[in-house]
Amino acid sequence: MSRIASTFARLASQGRKALVPFITAGDPDAATTQELMHTLVAAGADIIELGVPFSDPMADGPTIQRASERALAKGMSLKKVLACVASFRARDQETPVVLMGYANPVEYWGLEEFARSARTAGVDGVLTVDYPPEEAGDYARALTAQEIDPIFLLAPTSTPERVALVAGMARGYVYYVSIKGVTGAGHLDVDAVARRVPEIRAAVGLPVAVGFGVRDAQSAQALASCCDAVIIGSRIIEEIEHSPPEQLHERILALIAPIRAGIDRAGG
Amino acid sequence: MQNPDLPDQKGHFGPYGGIFVAETLIPALTELRDAYAGIREGKGFSREFAAEFAAELKHYVGRPSPIYHARRWSEELGGAQILLKREDLNHTGAHKVNNCIGQALLARRMGKKRVIAETGAGQHGVATATVAARFGMECVVYMGAEDIARQAANVYRMKLLGATLVPVMSGSRTLKDAMNEAMRDWVTNVGDTFYIIGTVAGPHPYPMMVRDFQTVIGIEAMIQMRDQFGRQPDVVLACVGGGSNAMGIFYPYLGEADVRLIGVEAGGDGIDTGRHAAPLSVGRAGVLHGNRTYLMQDEDGQIIETHSISAGLDYPGVGPEHAWLKDSGRVQYLSATDDEALAAFHALCRYEGIIPALESSHALAHAAKIAPTLPREQLLLVNLSGRGDKDIHTVAARSGITL
């Protein structure tokens, strides 16, 4: 069983939902990212999503785009992201790591080469936001050949046909975008999510993680009651952006702990 | 060679094109694809849409644009005859407006009351603001903060035309960042908003749709060549940034095997300096802005900043159909440097009394390069895609003159 599947199985047996924090690799620098990954686990993260910075992050809002720019300015690259994961794996063999990024750096490296290197580094899943299922055939095959889960996005506007298309390719979990638009924008409509998630879970046969819009314990708790995993990204990036370096780990712990508690209150 | 029936259903030109966007954009593109299919019929537009489009192009844009024989310049060059397809005479001063009219008509049919656009030098922004005013639509234009600083006149034009200008502060603060920002707006406001992309790039159906709206250039040229010269040209040349003016004039000629087609990219300081905007000349395929095509990128697959004296060619990608036409060998892609384009710019001013856009000057530069090597009876048709009034500050600055 993959690390992602066994994580969801363990949580299900405990009647708990997953907490999935997102940070951009290399923001503010590679060494901090490696330490932050352990901090996130200590704060209660079940899976870590690691953003791969890209020069043109079309699907991200301004917060994550700024994180990408800071990381690229420090020389972060796809290869160095894998180095971060490998160094994390030296101390943590349990927590799944999912890369989230854009198609071009992956294509430039070569799908098979990338997939092989990602597996060696200890990557468990990859979400490439600009590979919709129609364009993702070769990519998904390259990943699954290396036992890496291809993670796909679904949106409130996804038709049943598109959900079925994703069901045919996705592994690990699916990432349900809870609101229209880009990362970090708009308002959270929990009722709308609650109405849609069961249908998606049934159609895809995988856990449904919900993201885009979670900012605090309350919104996390509300969301956790109707999905399998809560993703929190922009709010963490803002904390990284504004925290003095010496307070960063403490502040991330203080941010995540109540969110973890909120998710656990939602229960199974 | 027959006119290839591309793109396929999924928007592919061979390995290029396609729909590389996040799931959130899919419904917007599906809605657009279906609406566009509704105005197509066979290889052209439905009769109703064609009549509407033709009337706008005639009475508002001032089409057909003439083909003009640049006799004095041809004489000076001492070889083949240079003919100019005068897109510079269109309302707003460039070919861009053809496409904006087409997309605005489609937006109106779809009931969209708000149009958005990205712009680099401001030409496409001005053209979009123009048609938005003409059709009474709200207009928001995204423009990189760097470009806003460099293009004060176009910024003011857009404001005069009633558009709201949004400065883009992210990334390199230029065209590609404006395109990212416009996509974000579209995702968020898809219900009432139509995104007018200015070139033959972006996710399907944009490369096909923009090409089809610009094909009027080539269709007119074929008729005019037959009527004025009794035959088709030996060579057709056009500059290529995103590549919409080139697709517009090339497309009807793809099936004419005797007509050589040459696309001229921005060579900047020279291809070997790395400071240029010529992805077809030296780039490698990748994925950006919703399609797979040739890109300017570094060894980590990050998109790199480009350089050209012409803001309209300063883009790291190129339309996917050009990528396909390059690989298939049907079109030859070369580049002209900033200096070569400037020399052609000055030559056309002095010999013909026409101030060409710096973009178009790249195509003129290559025509000037090959004309002396060809017999006098050969005909070179250059797409003079825009007028150069917007560029006089740039040209003056290169000569050390402040206006």
Side-chain angles (χ1 to χ4, degrees), chain B residues 5 20 33 76 79 86 103 107 113 150 229 243 247 274 308 315 323 376 388 396:
Chain B
D5 209 5
F20 292 87
R33 188 197 61 200
E76 166 66 19
R86 297 291 307 274
Q103 292 198 45
K113 304 208 170 339
R150 291 189 291 202
F229 299 89
M247 273 324 303
S308 170
Y315 178 67
R376 302 180 83 85

Side-chain angles (χ1 to χ4, degrees), chain B residues 127-151:
Chain B
T128 304
T130 299
V131 302
R134 158 75 186 84
F135 292 110
M137 293 164 166
E138 183 193 346
C139 178
V140 175
V141 178
Y142 290 89
M143 187 168 183
E146 280 290 317
D147 289 333
I148 287 178
R150 291 189 291 202
Q151 302 288 341

Side-chain angles (χ1 to χ4, degrees), chain A residues 53-58 60 65 69 72 77-78 104-105 107-108 129-132 135 153 155 157-158 162 181-182, chain B residues 12 18-23 26-27 170-171 176 180 184 187 284 286-287 289 292 297-303:
Chain A
F54 181 51
S55 51
D56 294 77
M58 250 169 52
D60 286 300
Q65 173 156 25
E69 286 170 11
L72 289 173
S77 67
L78 182 52
N104 200 53
E107 285 206 1
Y108 195 90
V129 294
D130 51 351
Y131 272 144
E135 302 285 359
L153 291 171
T157 45
S158 300
R162 296 192 58 76
V182 298
Chain B
H12 293 131
I19 299 180
F20 292 87
V21 298
E23 181 68 21
I26 296 283
S170 57
K176 72 184 180 69
N180 293 335
R184 292 185 184 124
V187 172
R284 178 172 149 166
V287 174
H289 292 148
R292 183 180 284 124
Q297 50 186 323
D298 68 15
E299 65 287 352
D300 188 45
Q302 306 291 343
I303 307 308

Side-chain angles (χ1 to χ4, degrees), chain B residues 329-383:
Chain B
R330 177 62 188 96
V331 180
Q332 186 183 8
Y333 293 92
L334 304 154
S335 65
T337 63
D338 287 353
D339 288 343
E340 290 167 333
L342 268 171
F345 174 97
H346 286 295
L348 203 70
C349 290
R350 299 294 282 272
Y351 286 102
E352 300 294 345
I354 296 172
I355 302 178
L358 282 172
E359 289 79 9
S360 325
S361 298
H362 288 72
L364 294 170
H366 193 72
K369 202 179 285 180
I370 61 174
T373 70
L374 297 169
R376 302 180 83 85
E377 55 283 3
Q378 289 232 340
L379 302 176
L380 309 187
L381 176 62
V382 180
N383 196 10

Side-chain angles (χ1 to χ4, degrees), chain A:
Chain A
M1 200 189 283
S2 77
R3 261 194 287 256
I4 292 174
S6 58
T7 297
F8 278 108
R10 172 176 55 78
L11 288 167
S13 74
Q14 298 167 345
R16 298 168 72 218
K17 304 299 177 68
L19 166 61
V20 184
F22 170 97
I23 57 173
T24 297
D27 171 37
D29 55 55
T32 308
T33 296
Q34 287 167 26
E35 283 314 304
L36 266 180
M37 291 172 78
H38 294 294
T39 305
L40 292 171
V41 174
D46 297 299
I47 296 171
I48 293 175
E49 282 191 354
L50 202 52
V52 180
F54 181 51
S55 51
D56 294 77
M58 250 169 52
D60 286 300
T63 305
I64 291 178
Q65 173 156 25
R66 280 197 305 274
S68 256
E69 286 170 11
R70 288 193 295 268
L72 289 173
K74 286 281 173 72
M76 186 45 64
S77 67
L78 182 52
K79 286 180 183 168
K80 289 180 185 168
V81 173
L82 293 190
C84 273
V85 177
S87 110
F88 173 76
R89 275 279 166 266
R91 278 163 57 194
D92 185 324
Q93 284 88 48
E94 309 295 321
T95 312
V97 174
V98 172
L99 302 187
M100 184 166 174
Y102 290 80
N104 200 53
V106 170
E107 285 206 1
Y108 195 90
W109 195 345
L111 298 175
E112 278 83 17
E113 270 293 306
F114 162 72
R116 256 196 307 278
S117 306
R119 181 192 193 175
T120 308
V123 169
D124 301 285
V126 179
L127 196 174
T128 301
V129 294
D130 51 351
Y131 272 144
E134 289 89 341
E135 302 285 359
D138 293 344
Y139 151 84
R141 271 187 295 279
L143 290 181
T144 47
Q146 296 297 328
E147 292 169 359
I148 294 174
D149 293 333
I151 316 282
F152 285 89
L153 291 171
L154 282 171
T157 45
S158 300
T159 58
E161 294 74 33
R162 296 192 58 76
V163 174
L165 206 55
V166 164
M169 281 185 179
R171 293 209 193 169
Y173 58 92
V174 291
Y175 187 149
Y176 184 65
V177 182
S178 66
I179 44 178
K180 255 194 261 180
V182 298
T183 51
H187 304 285
L188 188 58
D189 184 350
V190 175
D191 292 343
V193 176
R195 281 194 298 275
R196 193 76 198 275
V197 166
E199 169 210 327
I200 288 175
R201 191 190 287 122
V204 179
L206 292 171
V208 180
V210 179
F212 289 22
V214 180
R215 299 196 62 82
D216 51 28
Q218 257 185 327
S219 49
Q221 180 177 350
L223 214 51
S225 62
C226 60
C227 67
D228 306 299
V230 174
I231 298 166
I232 172 164
S234 298
R235 180 65 191 85
I236 299 178
I237 305 280
E238 285 168 17
E239 203 66 23
I240 294 172
E241 194 167 29
H242 297 123
S243 172
E246 67 280 4
Q247 291 173 22
L248 180 58
H249 296 275
E250 204 181 305
R251 279 173 68 161
I252 294 293
L253 282 169
L255 171 70
I256 304 284
I259 290 171
R260 172 80 261 177
I263 291 172
D264 289 342
R265 273 196 298 278

